[in-house]
Amino acid sequence: ILFENTKVRGSIKVIKFGEENNPLEGAEFTIYNKSDINFKNPLETKTTDANGQLVFENYEYGDYVVRETKAPEGYNLEGIENALSKDVSITENLKVYKLEYSNTKIRASVKVLKVGEDNDPLEGAVFAIYAKADEKFENPLQTKTTDASGEVKFENLEYGDYVVRETKAPEGYNLEGVDGPLSKEVLVRENGKVYEVKYSNTKIRGDIKV
């Protein structure tokens, strides 16, 4: 009489969410044996689909670790030191084990420094920030006026491309740029970073003829 045993095998489903519980496509995950404590020998790497899901299939009985190794564009990696490890032990045959991960969006700030001809700070200059795609500058995202230190700060800007424009010069000064506001582009790519742009104005001058 011959008895034959088959190995216990199961699958691991990863589900990836954004801040609003929305599925995230394009997140990369890698699976390792739990004994691979330095994560030197990945067993398989997959990327989430449009439903924010992927499946590591047909894994034998044993202990594994799943790590997010690349976040979707515009999002931070989950966890400390850019990768959160989640353990999973396959003990039941044909079972699908589920792991859920979430990402926060990359956000940053833009600080504008406004100076005069002698590099002195200028109060009262009005600046607006726009999405770069808003080519006609019709929908400002934020509008602020420089304080006594000649500064404004646009905060909590999500990953993306922006344009800063001076929309009103301080009293007695010309707007920077030819024929009006000078646009300066800012690309938000790093979480928590403060991007800095500097503008300067020249004084309005004229002649008096007697």
Side-chain angles (χ1 to χ4, degrees):
I1 299 174
L2 179 65
F3 292 92
E4 184 177 356
N5 289 113
T6 57
K7 291 182 177 180
V8 170
R9 287 183 169 85
S11 298
I12 301 166
K13 177 186 278 190
V14 174
I15 306 171
K16 185 68 175 176
F17 297 104
E19 294 178 342
E20 299 171 355
N21 224 31
N22 53 306
L24 290 184
E25 184 177 7
E28 180 186 275
F29 287 86
T30 303
I31 187 170
Y32 304 82
N33 283 313
K34 189 173 181 180
S35 59
D36 183 10
I37 59 175
N38 293 318
F39 306 109
K40 296 284 184 65
N41 301 292
L43 302 175
E44 190 176 8
T45 297
K46 287 190 171 184
T47 303
T48 55
D49 59 18
N51 297 314
Q53 299 181 11
L54 61 82
V55 180
F56 296 112
E57 298 179 288
N58 201 35
Y59 274 79
E60 295 180 0
Y61 179 97
D63 299 327
Y64 300 90
V65 174
V66 176
R67 287 164 60 89
E68 181 184 8
T69 47
K70 183 180 179 182
E73 184 178 2
Y75 287 83
N76 298 295
L77 274 173
E78 181 175 357
I80 299 171
E81 295 180 356
N82 296 334
L84 177 63
S85 303
K86 292 193 177 184
D87 295 345
V88 58
S89 297
I90 293 179
T91 57
E92 298 179 43
N93 196 47
L94 302 180
K95 181 176 178 178
V96 178
Y97 297 82
K98 293 182 180 179
L99 299 176
E100 292 187 357
Y101 290 75
S102 63
N103 283 125
T104 56
K105 292 180 179 179
I106 289 173
R107 289 182 171 86
S109 302
V110 176
K111 184 169 75 174
V112 177
L113 175 62
K114 185 67 176 178
V115 297
E117 295 176 342
D118 299 320
N119 217 35
D120 51 313
L122 290 183
E123 185 176 5
V126 180
F127 287 88
I129 190 165
Y130 304 81
K132 187 180 177 182
D134 183 8
E135 296 180 352
K136 294 183 179 180
F137 306 109
E138 295 175 331
N139 300 293
L141 302 174
Q142 298 180 42
T143 300
K144 293 189 176 184
T145 303
T146 56
D147 57 18
S149 62
E151 295 182 356
V152 295
K153 194 173 184 181
F154 299 111
E155 299 180 288
N156 204 34
L157 297 170
E158 295 179 2
Y159 177 98
D161 301 343
Y162 298 89
V163 171
V164 178
R165 286 165 63 88
E166 181 185 8
T167 56
K168 183 181 178 182
E171 185 177 357
Y173 286 84
N174 298 295
L175 274 172
E176 180 172 357
V178 178
D179 296 327
L182 176 64
S183 301
K184 294 192 178 184
E185 188 175 297
V186 179
L187 308 181
V188 171
R189 295 292 184 270
E190 297 180 45
N191 193 59
K193 182 174 179 177
V194 178
Y195 296 84
E196 296 186 3
V197 291
K198 187 175 182 180
Y199 285 77
S200 61
N201 284 125
T202 56
K203 291 180 179 179
I204 294 172
R205 289 181 169 87
D207 296 324
I208 300 174
K209 184 176 180 181
V210 178

